[in-house]
Amino acid sequence: MKENIKEILYTSQQLTDKAAALGAAITRDCGDDIVVVGVLKGSFMFLSDLVKNIDKDCVIDFVRVSSYGDSMTSGELVLKTDISVDIENKDVIIVEDILDTGKTLEFLKRHFEEKNPRSVKICTLLDKKVKKECYVKADYVGFEIEDLFVVGYGLDYGEKYRNLPYIAVI
Ligand code: IMP
Ligand code: MG
């Protein structure tokens, strides 16, 4: 597996430090009714480090979105699993691994806004600097990266590499 790794972009320590900083910012900014929604599968590792640093009561749930594209881009989006908790009048934070074209997060933001939450914010670990196809902006960003394909810390290529504790370029 590791023979395809070209370069480590962020070490395990850098990632947990960033999750701690973002969790502290969310603690400062949000009200007392936080619902953290992870986008499966890529956000699972980031979400687990992030929520350890949100010093408020929070409800955690997940969505699964599938896209009819290849594994590197998103095509037509379909919500495969929705949240099962009520978000009316709650501060929702969508947690994503990476914001690329913005299609996935724009789709999810719209979906949640229909459920009458108090607010919907986006927290993404990585934000690609490339021009977005959709108008969606993250409220919390871990790192801005160049237009590279990265894996690890939840992110996959063909379902592999999610378990790496660091983020790397393949
Ligand atoms: P978007 O809808 O184009 O913003 O793409 C978001 C989804 O594409 C992410 O949730 C990832 O699953 C996938 N993706 C985009 N870029 C990468 C990458 O560099 N590595 C792994 N997955 C990626
Ligand atoms: Mg993915």
Side-chain angles (χ1 to χ4, degrees):
M1 175 164 92
K2 301 211 168 101
E3 61 273 20
N4 298 320
I5 302 293
K6 279 200 208 131
E7 185 198 347
I8 294 180
L9 276 189
Y10 302 108
T11 62
S12 173
Q13 186 66 53
Q14 286 174 301
L15 293 164
T16 48
D17 288 351
K18 186 59 80 174
L22 292 171
I26 290 169
T27 305
R28 271 198 309 275
D29 298 348
C30 292
D32 286 319
D33 278 314
I34 305 178
V35 181
V36 176
V37 180
V39 185
L40 290 173
K41 302 177 194 168
S43 71
F44 82 97
M45 213 179 271
F46 173 46
L47 183 140
S48 84
D49 284 335
L50 182 74
V51 295
K52 289 174 207 165
N53 296 282
I54 299 180
D55 191 16
K56 293 238 165 104
D57 289 341
C58 67
V59 168
I60 299 169
D61 207 343
F62 294 92
V63 285
R64 180 188 285 268
V65 181
S66 87
S67 105
Y68 294 99
D70 53 45
S71 72
M72 300 172 81
T73 53
S74 42
E76 176 84 26
L77 293 165
V78 177
L79 191 66
K80 287 280 180 181
T81 309
D82 200 355
I83 48 171
S84 58
V85 296
D86 182 16
I87 60 168
E88 198 169 335
N89 298 320
K90 306 274 163 71
D91 287 321
V92 176
I93 298 167
I94 309 174
V95 178
E96 180 56 309
D97 52 357
I98 189 164
L99 178 55
D100 185 5
T101 67
K103 282 190 204 163
T104 308
L105 283 168
E106 184 178 65
F107 170 83
L108 286 173
K109 202 169 179 191
R110 254 197 220 142
H111 171 71
F112 292 131
E113 275 165 354
E114 283 169 12
K115 296 176 187 264
N116 301 317
R118 195 158 84 105
S119 66
V120 180
K121 287 186 177 163
I122 291 171
C123 176
T124 185
L125 176 64
L126 304 174
D127 190 2
K128 285 195 187 174
K129 282 185 207 156
V130 287
K131 201 170 176 298
K132 305 286 186 272
E133 285 173 35
C134 292
Y135 188 75
V136 68
K137 229 180 138 296
D139 301 275
Y140 301 95
V141 175
F143 301 99
E144 276 207 326
I145 63 166
E146 302 300 326
D147 193 14
L148 300 165
F149 196 82
V150 295
V151 296
Y153 197 63
L155 290 118
D156 74 306
Y157 175 61
E159 293 300 329
K160 278 173 59 187
Y161 306 104
R162 292 193 198 275
N163 58 317
L164 296 176
Y166 48 80
I167 288 185
V169 182
I170 49 163

